[in-house]
Amino acid sequence: MLAGPTTTEELLAHLVAFDTTSRNSNLELIGFVRDYLSAYGVESVTIPSEAGDKASLFATIGPPGVGGVCLSGHSDVVPVDGQSWSSDPFTLTPADGRLYGRGSCDMKGFLAACLGAVPAMTAAKLATPIHLIVSYDEEVGCTGVVPAVRKLGVDLPLPRACIVGEPTSMRVVDAHKSGMAFVTTVTGREAHSSMPQLGANAIFAAAELVGELDRYRAELIEAGDPSGRFDPPSTTVQVTVIEGGTAGNIVPRQCALRWNVRGLPEFDIGPLLARFERFAEEVVLPKLKASAPEASIGTVPVYTVPPLAPQTGSMAELLALRLAGQNRTHTVSYGTEGGHFQEQGIPTIVCGPGSIDQAHKPDEFIEVSQLRACERFLAGLIAECGRP
Ligand SMILES: [Zn+2]
């Protein structure tokens, strides 16, 4: 029917060849997916980003209207900058039952398996529709899918279940932590370092803030994980980047901290943030202001990834367990787009081929056997959705 790629491996080779590092446009990849779908008579809708340089794609196979099962995956990948690869990261390279390439595991493998299943979906005369979503900007805070998700149940159909195909080694994941990242900027005053009383040292102030975050880190470890399901078993706090100062003989005027919190599903960031800001305002800032009245400390959010909360017995959970041939669910500590679907009222689980251990690393790969397992999962889905 089609002269182009048809097998999961061929499709994956095409997808990997698009350098969709999050800083780049994904429009060529989206165009490829749109053309591929249209060759099978499947119409798709694109939802552009605000700047117009990226887009998500939404397509339905099967009867129009509400309901159905949504398969969702992101098209962007993390950078290869500074990583040492044994082969070209944007050329899918087979070796020893593995396929190497940036995004092969996270998560173009899942997208390739979904696209490879499209001919079977269109041939099956589905009674229950299957929806496909291909998103962008997942690796920079899971934000790109949001405009598409907000349309579900509004001007696009509301799926009854969503499967986000992040790499879980095809295990069914029903819960993950939230992710919240912040930048705190301390501004003091410059002075010659021999005359520190004339300046206000932003790095000393930032160090006190780091110490405060470290206290929260320890307290949260102490509080643990009442569900006993997460690894590590607590909400975690990390300071990840610190930038400040200009020279060895200048009292630094500015210091910025990037920090993040990965919360258990029930964790509320509000009280922690309020406490941090109170500490900054009441303990740290007065010391800076003593010599520099213009000093300031400000914290701004960078991104918020909602948690995936377990919904025991949901249609998504029961369906995925059945299709994966498993009898229990798992948790992961990384964030996915799943929480956004859940916030939209769609029961959601995470289940996809490949291991997160191979994601984001040089020589990223996916086991061919994982693609086969995903194909079986999708064949099962098509069979279920084919039944009236
Ligand atoms: Zn991913």
Side-chain angles (χ1 to χ4, degrees), residues 243-302:
E243 280 176 311
T246 52
N249 55 4
I250 300 175
V251 172
R253 192 178 82 90
Q254 207 155 59
C255 186
L257 307 173
R258 266 205 266 170
W259 55 283
N260 68 59
V261 179
R262 290 180 181 266
L264 297 169
E266 64 279 7
F267 178 75
D268 176 9
I269 188 72
L272 183 150
L273 201 55
R275 188 174 153 198
F276 180 71
E277 288 184 325
R278 208 172 330 111
F279 179 82
E281 194 73 23
E282 293 173 7
V283 178
V284 183
L285 191 58
K287 295 179 203 166
L288 292 170
K289 287 208 165 184
S291 53
E294 76 279 18
S296 64
I297 301 174
T299 296
V300 293
V302 181

Side-chain angles (χ1 to χ4, degrees), residues 74 76 105-107 138-139 165-167 334-336 356 359-360:
H74 62 84
D76 60 320
C105 166
D106 186 10
M107 57 179 292
E138 192 274 346
E139 298 290 6
E166 283 286 338
Y334 54 86
T336 77
I356 200 71
H360 297 202

Side-chain angles (χ1 to χ4, degrees), residues 70-74 107 110 162-168 336-339 341 348-352:
C70 181
L71 303 172
S72 179
H74 62 84
M107 57 179 292
F110 176 76
C162 178
I163 296 165
V164 176
E166 283 286 338
T168 65
T336 77
E337 298 171 333
F341 286 93
T348 300
I349 56 93
V350 182
C351 181

